[in-house]
Amino acid sequence: MNIVVLEGYVNNPGDLSWDALKQYGTVTVYDRTPRDQLAARVADADVAVSSKTVWDAEALGWAPNLQMIALTSTGYNVVDLDAARARGIVVSNVPAYSTPDVAQMTFALLLELCLHVGEHSQLVMDGGWTRAKDFSFWSTPLVELAGKTMGIVGMGSIGQAVCRIARAFDMPVVFENRSAKPQLEGDGVRQVDLDELLAASDVVSLHVPATPETDRMMNAQTIGRMKDGAYLLNTARGALVDERAVVDALRAGKLRGFGADVVSAEPMHADNPLLQAKGLNIVVTPHIAWATHEARERLLTTVAANVGAFAGGKPQNVVD
């Protein structure tokens, strides 16, 4: 098979290998593929390995030989599944490869909002401790997590991993999920509806996919229903949050802090409202929760396995 990797660099900047794909055909790896170069690169492709490439009907039409789209992601909203299905193109994804890493990032953001470790370390390195009159000093209020209620929106594998960490911090947990999950209740964990979650939670953490139903689910109205002085975390998808409403809530003191690893458009646009929140209690990282070496290694291994399963006539992790 002719296998084309369209966005190789972001998944593997050189510390991993694409060699596992070579047993299934000829492999061509491009670091990045702009839209205006996509047609030429997929013209003879049997398998396209991609992440954020938009596979609409037009793009699929540029690839007459295409048999499989092997996504290097869990999400698949970039693919017109109806158009792919009409062409008989198999679409596979990589579920759950970054679950521990996203949960880890969720708490990295929360701990930074509560303790400002980076800021205090910079003060020390700038000589602030050498000039201090006391053995200890702090430049911001410091917040303890124990006893604070964690509200988890979406109790899939990542939400459950966040729940386990929250309980280890002695945080009671309430969660909202589109289906009932009574098996997850107990030991300080209970399922509630979204309105009760927003009213009860000191921290609200989002772990749902981007769909028409969840688009800007955290907006001025829903943030207004949150507990005063709560924290909002988003390590899921940027589309879940109305970023202007977040900035307004931070300025008004409705939100005590906001942490995100994702934004509405990536790379971040220069006019993103979050960039106007400098000096407020906000931490934004450039969509890196998934990108640990361990997670990317699992990702590439599964992508190769997906291509191999397809080549063997038994596709796996098929999105349908």
Side-chain angles (χ1 to χ4, degrees), residues 165-215:
I165 298 172
R167 293 300 296 131
F169 274 102
D170 200 20
M171 301 178 73
V173 172
V174 293
F175 71 91
E176 186 273 342
N177 197 73
R178 63 183 178 181
S179 60
K181 292 196 172 184
Q183 71 276 17
L184 300 180
E185 295 191 86
D187 186 30
V189 180
R190 61 190 180 93
Q191 184 167 4
V192 298
D193 63 25
L194 183 61
D195 282 344
E196 183 175 349
L197 182 148
L198 295 176
S201 299
D202 299 291
V203 182
V204 173
S205 191
L206 306 179
H207 301 286
V208 294
T211 67
E213 292 72 29
T214 61
D215 186 61

Side-chain angles (χ1 to χ4, degrees), residues 96-128:
Y97 73 95
S98 62
T99 294
D101 309 272
V102 177
Q104 177 176 294
M105 175 59 79
T106 299
F107 275 86
L109 294 171
L110 180 56
L111 290 168
E112 183 62 24
L113 291 171
C114 291
L115 297 174
H116 298 271
V117 172
E119 177 180 334
H120 285 95
S121 176
Q122 190 60 54
L123 288 172
V124 170
M125 300 310 293
D126 288 343

Side-chain angles (χ1 to χ4, degrees), residues 208-257:
V208 294
T211 67
E213 292 72 29
T214 61
D215 186 61
R216 296 192 180 190
M217 65 178 296
M218 296 308 300
N219 51 49
Q221 290 71 39
T222 47
I223 292 172
R225 296 201 291 272
M226 291 176 65
K227 181 185 289 190
D228 290 345
Y231 297 91
L232 177 60
L233 307 175
N234 185 14
T235 54
R237 290 291 183 263
L240 305 180
V241 171
D242 181 332
E243 292 159 339
R244 171 57 61 190
V246 165
V247 174
D248 291 343
L250 286 168
R251 286 179 174 156
K254 176 64 178 180
L255 287 178
R256 189 170 187 173

Side-chain angles (χ1 to χ4, degrees), residues 246-305:
V246 165
V247 174
D248 291 343
L250 286 168
R251 286 179 174 156
K254 176 64 178 180
L255 287 178
R256 189 170 187 173
F258 175 68
D261 185 50
V262 289
V263 295
S264 55
E266 299 171 352
M268 193 180 207
H269 292 177
D271 62 353
N272 188 299
L274 297 177
L275 294 175
Q276 301 171 18
K278 190 174 182 180
L280 301 174
N281 196 18
I282 181 171
V283 180
V284 181
T285 50
H287 203 149
I288 58 173
W290 68 279
T292 66
H293 185 277
E294 293 85 352
R296 289 184 295 106
E297 190 170 38
R298 287 192 294 271
L299 175 67
L300 266 60
T301 297
T302 304
V303 168

